């Protein structure tokens, strides 16, 4: 299905049950849209355009991205220890299918989303004992969150962890090189002037939101 078709389905069947949310194509997301994007992403199967799944996710907007990332979250159906769910729409099962989707969203969504209601929550919960210790993305996003909070101790701890995942002897891929360069930019700015570092992250937030075509929903940060 197309993004517009998903948007129509979400508006008809789901949005009335999530009054603090809004919809943009295949996204149902929590308002206000500040530093963190939280919500549900509807995604069609590559084999059958009427088959779809739903991902509940949390994405820090101050980390540059061109699209939605699922580093934090999971597919509906698997969050409570079961198997991920796929649904197939037909001409006569829309009401039944969307009622089932709603049931899972209401049951499993809060398991993820309620852990990240604030930037403080995000910095506390984005890295868990199960987080891949070799992935640079978790310490990068927590380091930036700590910068925004003015938490120098946490920021430095995460920048050090990030450096350990990007060991100099490694053969950098383009993705890792980009993380290394922008982390160095933010870290250097933070040491020089916290305001400068916050300015960099604020610019990246606006760029990410523009890439997601969500600019009109963006709330100002005081």
């Amino acid at each position: 299905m197309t993004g517009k078709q998903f948007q129509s389905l979400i508006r008809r069947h789901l949005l009335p049950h999530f009054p603090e949310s809004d919809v943009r194509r295949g996204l149902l997301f929590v308002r206000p849209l500040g530093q963190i994007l939280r919500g549900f992403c509807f995604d069609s199967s590559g084999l059958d355009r009427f088959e779809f799944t739903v991902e509940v996710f949390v994405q820090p907007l101050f980390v540059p991205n061109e699209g939605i990332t699922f580093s934090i979250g999971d597919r509906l159906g698997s969050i409570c220890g079961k198997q991920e769910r796929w649904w197939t729409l037909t001409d006569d099962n829309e009401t039944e299918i969307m009622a089932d989707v709603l049931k899972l969203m209401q049951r499993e969504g809060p398991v993820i989303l309620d852990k990240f209601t604030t930037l403080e929550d995000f910095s506390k919960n984005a890295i868990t004992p199960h987080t891949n210790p070799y992935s640079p993305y978790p310490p990068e996003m927590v380091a930036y969150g700590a910068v925004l909070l003015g938490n120098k101790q946490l920021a430095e701890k995460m920048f050090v962890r990030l450096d350990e995942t990007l060991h100099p002897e490694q053969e950098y891929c383009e993705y890792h090189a980009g993380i290394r360069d922008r982390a160095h930019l933010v870290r250097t700015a933070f040491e020089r002037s916290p305001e400068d570092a916050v300015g960099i992250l604020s610019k990246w937030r606006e760029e990410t939101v523009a890439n997601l075509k969500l600019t009109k929903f963006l709330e100002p940060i005081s």
Side-chain angles (χ1 to χ4, degrees):
M1 287 185 289
T2 66
K4 288 185 177 180
Q5 288 172 320
F6 275 131
Q7 181 168 296
S8 179
L9 279 174
I10 293 169
R11 287 195 181 281
R12 288 200 304 274
H13 297 280
L14 304 175
L15 191 58
H17 301 276
F18 296 91
E20 295 183 356
S21 297
D22 217 318
V23 59
R24 205 279 174 187
R25 299 181 73 84
L27 289 180
L28 177 65
F29 57 94
V30 180
R31 297 194 318 261
L33 186 58
Q35 299 283 15
I36 302 168
L37 175 63
R38 299 183 299 136
F40 303 88
C41 182
F42 289 66
D43 188 30
S44 289
S45 165
L47 300 177
D48 181 346
R49 69 188 183 93
F50 292 106
E51 183 180 37
F52 70 95
T53 188
V54 181
E55 187 100 12
V56 55
F57 74 101
V58 175
Q59 178 175 343
L61 295 170
F62 45 81
V63 180
N65 264 299
E66 295 184 358
I68 298 296
T69 63
F70 298 135
S71 294
I72 301 175
D74 213 337
R75 283 177 176 168
L76 291 182
S78 61
I79 296 170
C80 293
K82 298 182 180 181
Q83 187 174 1
E84 65 185 45
R85 292 289 300 276
W86 287 83
W87 294 271
T88 303
L89 281 176
T90 65
D91 292 338
D92 55 5
N93 72 355
E94 179 179 312
T95 300
E96 177 185 354
I97 289 293
M98 296 308 293
D100 190 44
V101 172
L102 173 63
K103 182 179 178 181
L104 273 183
M105 289 174 67
Q106 291 177 323
R107 185 174 71 196
E108 297 191 347
V111 176
I112 302 293
L113 302 181
D114 287 358
K115 294 180 181 178
F116 299 94
T117 56
T118 66
L119 190 55
E120 289 83 359
D121 291 337
F122 179 85
S123 297
K124 183 188 304 181
N125 297 321
I127 291 182
T128 72
H130 303 291
T131 298
N132 180 359
Y134 304 105
S135 172
Y137 187 60
E140 181 194 21
M141 60 186 181
V142 175
Y144 297 166
V147 167
L148 291 169
L149 291 169
N151 188 333
K152 294 183 178 181
Q153 183 177 2
L154 179 59
E156 183 59 23
K157 179 180 178 180
M158 289 297 104
F159 281 127
V160 169
R161 176 167 173 169
L162 177 58
D163 283 343
E164 292 171 350
T165 69
L166 300 173
H167 198 271
E169 280 77 22
Q170 285 183 267
E171 183 179 349
Y172 288 112
C173 65
E174 184 178 352
Y175 169 72
H176 282 189
I179 292 178
R180 176 196 59 197
D181 292 345
R182 67 194 185 207
H184 176 73
L185 177 66
V186 175
R187 188 178 189 179
T188 301
F190 191 51
E191 292 171 351
R192 180 183 66 246
S193 166
E195 291 78 13
D196 289 349
V198 169
I200 292 170
L201 295 174
S202 297
K203 179 182 178 182
W204 287 349
R205 167 178 170 262
E206 293 174 0
E207 292 173 351
T208 299
V209 170
N211 290 336
L212 298 176
K213 296 180 171 55
L214 297 174
T215 301
K216 72 175 184 178
F217 302 102
L218 192 62
E219 295 284 335
I221 300 296
S222 57

